[in-house]
Amino acid sequence: MKRDMDLVRNILLALESAPTGSPPELKFDGFSKDQIGFHVLLMMEAGLIIGVKVTSMGSSTPAAIPNRITWQGYEFIESSRDDSRWTKAKGVVSKMGGASIDVVKQVLVQLMTEQAKGLLH
């Protein structure tokens, strides 16, 4: 299964907006329950969220359910919250042919820094 950074961002934003920090069920148009569960597991491995692995012998794919966002997850949310900055970052990454989460975060932070500098002048 291919990693989808839009889904990662959507999961983080959904967790942030939930009153308890974690909605009862994550649902996004165009994504299956398996895709969402797999991405939650990937996000745990990347340190963006804390969760519980729920993969069993009968599971169709490795999966997890989220408990909460980590500090790193909140940092990612803040750098990717602005839709135009997110779109620019995705454009940079696509020109590279893809990138690690660390590179995506660096691109977002660079764009955010440039935006802040522009506001100072």
Side-chain angles (χ1 to χ4, degrees):
M1 183 178 307
K2 189 172 180 175
R3 179 180 64 181
D4 188 304
M5 293 305 294
D6 283 319
L7 181 54
V8 169
R9 178 178 180 245
N10 287 339
I11 291 170
L12 286 170
L13 292 171
L15 293 175
E16 180 191 43
S17 68
T20 62
S22 185
E25 186 174 5
L26 293 169
K27 291 182 182 181
F28 303 100
D29 290 340
F31 294 100
S32 70
K33 186 176 179 177
D34 285 345
Q35 288 172 305
I36 294 167
F38 181 72
H39 278 72
V40 168
L41 183 61
L42 290 177
M43 293 167 68
M44 286 172 53
E45 293 171 349
L48 298 173
I49 62 172
I50 302 294
V52 178
K53 293 179 184 179
V54 294
T55 307
S56 68
M57 292 296 284
S59 299
S60 58
T61 185
I65 54 173
N67 286 342
R68 66 174 183 84
I69 303 170
T70 64
W71 187 270
Q72 286 183 321
Y74 278 109
E75 293 293 303
F76 187 87
I77 290 170
E78 290 306 323
S79 64
S80 68
R81 185 180 309 281
D82 180 77
D83 288 335
S84 64
R85 186 169 46 243
W86 178 247
T87 300
K88 284 181 187 178
K90 287 191 324 179
V92 169
V93 170
S94 71
K95 287 179 186 175
M96 296 169 46
S100 69
I101 186 91
D102 290 331
V103 171
V104 172
K105 287 191 283 188
Q106 288 174 13
V107 170
L108 285 163
V109 169
Q110 181 65 36
L111 291 169
M112 196 170 168
T113 302
E114 290 172 10
Q115 186 178 8
K117 285 180 182 177
L119 295 172
L120 292 174
H121 293 109

